[in-house]
Amino acid sequence: MKRICYRTVVSYAVLLPMFLILLSCSDDDYLNAIPENSTALLAVDMQDISDKDVSARIADFLKIENIDACGLDLSAKLYLFETIEGNIGLSAKVADKGDLESFVGELAEKGYCQNISEYKNFKFSVIKDSWVAGLSSEALVIMGPALPAQQSELKQQIAKYLGNSAEQGVKRSPLFAKLDSIDSPVALVARASALPEKMALPFMLCAPKDADASQIIIAAEIDASDNTHLTIAGESFAFDKDIDDELRASSNVFRPIKGTYAGNIPGNSVAGVFMNVDGGQFINLLHSNKTFQTLLAGMNMAVDMDNIIKSFDVDVTMFIPKENGERGWGMAAELKGKSFLDDVDYWKQSCPAGCKITDWDKDAYCYTDGEKSYYFGVSDDMQFFSGHSTDCALGILSKSATPLPTDIQETIKGKRLAVFFNINDLFGNNTFVNKLFGSTDTVLYFMK
C-alpha cells in the first residue's frame, strides 16, 4: 500500500509540471504577436464567413493553393491590427512551422517573395517587395507596406512582437475583450484616433467636449458580401463610464432617416453623412464637441451657422465631393423655418476685412474671402443648400446622375446615422482592405 502511494506521488510529481507546461501552451498563443496597445483590431473567422469570396481573396493574397500544406491553421481567426505607431499588420496561426517555411520557399522560387532569412531566431521574408513577413512556431505576422529603407526597422518590430509573452500580447487589451464579444464573421474594434481624420469626425459627433479621439471606440460587425462595398453596423462607446454615458445619451438626438438625400450624393464622393435631427438639439450636440465647436467658430465669423443649423428639421446631409481633383464640401437640410435669412444684410455689413457676401439668386448668397467661396441659400420648398461651388450647392437638391448604388440608398433609410467613405481616397490603393475585400471601393457605416 505504501509502495502504491509512493508511486502515485512520484507520478504526480512528474506529470503535474508537464501538464502545467502543456496548459501554458495555449491554442491562441499566436495572439501574443499582436501588440497589447494596438489601436485597431479586425477579426476574420475564415470558417464562419458567409462570403467565401473574401476567404478566396485572403488565400490569393497569401498565394495559398493548398490550405492543408501551407503550414497555417486557417480554422483559427485571422487578425488585422494597427499599431500605436500607425503600422498595419496581420497575424495568423501557424499549424506547422516546417510546412510554412517550405511554402514560403516555394513562393520565393516563383518570385512572389524573397528567400527566407533568419533574424533573432525568427524566419523572415518580404512579400512583393513591400510586406515584411516574420514567422515563429506559433504565429505568422505580416506588416507593411514599407519601402526598402523602412523594412529593417519593421523586421525589428515584428521580431519583438513574435517574442511577446502572454503578458505582453493583445489578450490583455480591453479592445480585444470587446472584439471577442462580437458575434460576427468579420468584426472590428478601433479607437477613433486610429482612423483617418475625415473618417473619424462623424464618430466624434456624440463625444463630450473633454473627450479625445483615443477615448472613443468603434465596435462593429462587417458585412463584406457585396463586392462593391462594405457595410458596417456599429456603435461608439468609451471605457470611461462618464464619457460612455454621455455618448449614449447624445445618440438619442438622431432619428430614423427618411432618405431625402440618399440618391442626391454623387457615388464617387470622398465621404458623406446622413442623419435626421432637430436642429435645436443638434446644435447643442455640436457645441459640446470641441472639434465641431472650433469649426463652427470659424464659420460663424461670417455666416451665422448656429441659427441656420437651429432651423434644420428632419433629414440632413453633408458630403465631400470629388471634382477634377478639387476637394470641397456640400450640405443640405430640410427646414422648419428660414428666419435666419432676415439677418443676411447684417452678415454683409459685419464681414471680416477682405471678405464679402453677395446676392447670388433668390434667397441665395455667396460668401468669399478672395480665395475660397461658399454658396448657400433656401429653396422654394424649404430646403437649405450649400457648397463650395454653384454646381455643388444646387446639385444636392436633385437626384445625382451618378448616385450611390441603390442598395446603399435603401440601407441608409431608417438608420439613425449613416456615413459612407471612399476607401481609395481615405486609405490609398495599397491597403489590406483592398487586398481582403477585392474590388470594394466604398464603406457604409450606420449606427446600430
Side-chain angles (χ1 to χ4, degrees):
M1 185 71 173
K2 289 181 180 179
R3 186 177 301 171
I4 293 174
C5 290
Y6 175 74
R7 287 171 63 185
T8 302
V9 171
V10 171
S11 297
Y12 274 122
V14 173
L15 293 175
L16 185 58
M18 292 177 64
F19 179 67
L20 292 174
I21 289 172
L22 289 172
L23 280 179
S24 69
C25 299
S26 169
D27 283 343
D28 58 5
D29 279 350
Y30 75 107
L31 297 177
N32 297 338
I34 304 173
E36 181 183 4
N37 61 358
S38 295
T39 56
L41 297 169
L42 185 144
V44 181
D45 189 336
M46 297 284 283
Q47 301 300 301
D48 193 32
I49 195 165
S50 58
D51 178 14
K52 297 305 177 185
D53 286 340
V54 175
S55 303
R57 284 192 286 270
I58 293 173
D60 179 65
F61 174 63
L62 299 174
K63 293 300 176 188
I64 299 172
E65 295 178 2
N66 184 350
I67 290 178
D68 295 332
C70 71
L72 294 175
D73 180 359
L74 296 182
S75 66
K77 290 181 180 181
L78 290 176
Y79 288 88
L80 274 72
F81 60 91
E82 181 172 336
T83 69
I84 198 168
E85 297 84 10
N87 293 321
I88 303 296
L90 176 148
S91 179
K93 183 179 179 180
V94 172
D96 188 296
K97 184 182 178 185
D99 286 350
L100 181 55
E101 289 185 28
S102 298
F103 170 64
V104 175
E106 292 171 7
L107 294 182
E109 289 179 3
K110 297 175 182 178
Y112 185 70
C113 64
Q114 296 178 6
N115 289 320
I116 289 179
S117 61
E118 187 166 333
Y119 176 74
K120 291 191 175 180
N121 297 321
F122 301 113
K123 301 299 176 67
F124 282 87
S125 180
V126 177
I127 301 172
K128 297 179 72 173
D129 298 323
S130 298
W131 303 86
V132 180
L135 64 99
S136 67
S137 57
E138 287 86 26
L140 167 70
V141 174
I142 301 173
M143 295 182 68
L147 297 172
Q150 303 167 320
Q151 290 171 11
S152 178
E153 182 179 347
L154 207 53
K155 184 186 291 186
Q156 294 177 38
Q157 195 172 37
I158 292 174
K160 177 184 175 183
Y161 296 157
L162 290 172
N164 278 350
S165 66
E167 287 71 31
Q168 298 167 306
V170 77
K171 287 182 287 184
R172 292 166 53 91
S173 163
L175 250 63
F176 180 79
K178 181 66 177 180
L179 183 74
D180 206 34
S181 71
I182 300 174
D183 184 18
S184 175
V186 185
L188 168 73
V189 176
R191 296 186 186 277
S193 57
L195 304 175
E197 185 178 2
K198 287 187 179 72
M199 187 176 179
L201 209 56
F203 299 109
M204 299 298 293
L205 270 172
C206 300
K209 191 179 298 186
D210 57 351
D212 61 50
S214 67
Q215 295 174 297
I216 308 304
I217 319 294
I218 298 94
E221 302 170 10
I222 299 177
D223 179 2
S225 57
D226 190 304
N227 287 340
T228 63
H229 67 272
L230 303 180
T231 302
I232 303 177
E235 62 176 343
S236 298
F237 73 99
F239 294 120
D240 181 289
K241 186 180 183 304
D242 291 338
I243 295 176
D244 189 60
D245 287 346
E246 196 159 342
L247 273 172
R248 296 185 187 282
S250 297
S251 69
N252 292 326
V253 169
F254 300 102
R255 307 175 301 201
I257 299 165
K258 289 196 315 180
T260 303
Y261 304 108
N264 297 15
I265 306 302
N268 68 343
S269 297
V270 176
V273 181
F274 301 89
M275 65 187 82
N276 178 339
V277 295
D278 174 274
Q281 294 178 326
F282 187 54
I283 191 65
N284 292 331
L285 189 64
L286 294 178
H287 276 294
S288 69
N289 181 286
K290 58 187 176 185
T291 301
F292 289 96
Q293 188 180 44
T294 301
L295 289 173
L296 284 171
M299 297 174 73
N300 282 331
M301 291 179 65
V303 176
D304 192 347
M305 283 303 300
D306 279 18
N307 272 335
I308 293 175
I309 292 172
K310 286 176 184 177
S311 300
F312 291 178
D313 194 23
V314 196
D315 276 14
V316 179
T317 189
M318 293 172 279
F319 76 108
I320 302 172
K322 185 177 183 180
E323 300 168 352
N324 300 319
E326 180 186 359
R327 299 285 173 87
W329 65 280
M331 179 167 62
E334 295 177 279
L335 297 173
K336 57 187 173 186
K338 59 176 184 178
S339 59
F340 58 85
L341 291 180
D342 297 338
D343 298 327
V344 171
D345 286 340
Y346 172 74
W347 300 348
K348 290 178 179 179
Q349 298 169 20
S350 58
C351 266
C355 304
K356 63 179 180 178
I357 296 175
T358 56
D359 293 353
W360 164 37
D361 204 341
K362 177 189 174 185
D363 289 341
Y365 308 90
C366 176
Y367 163 80
T368 180
D369 62 4
E371 294 182 5
K372 300 175 186 176
S373 297
Y374 173 59
Y375 297 84
F376 65 97
V378 176
S379 66
D380 290 339
D381 59 351
M382 290 291 286
Q383 295 182 78
F384 176 77
F385 56 92
S386 66
H388 69 287
S389 68
T390 55
D391 289 343
C392 176
L394 287 174
I396 200 170
L397 295 182
S398 56
K399 299 301 178 186
S400 172
T402 55
L404 290 166
T406 303
D407 55 342
I408 291 184
Q409 294 182 42
E410 291 302 315
T411 302
I412 288 169
K413 294 177 184 178
K415 303 302 185 294
R416 294 191 298 136
L417 175 68
V419 185
F420 77 88
F421 311 98
N422 184 295
I423 290 175
N424 291 334
D425 280 305
L426 288 171
F427 295 101
N429 293 315
N430 240 338
T431 70
F432 270 129
V433 173
N434 300 81
K435 299 295 182 182
L436 295 184
F437 301 111
S439 59
T440 295
D441 54 19
T442 302
V443 173
L444 175 66
Y445 168 89
F446 61 84
M447 181 188 291
K448 278 185 170 182

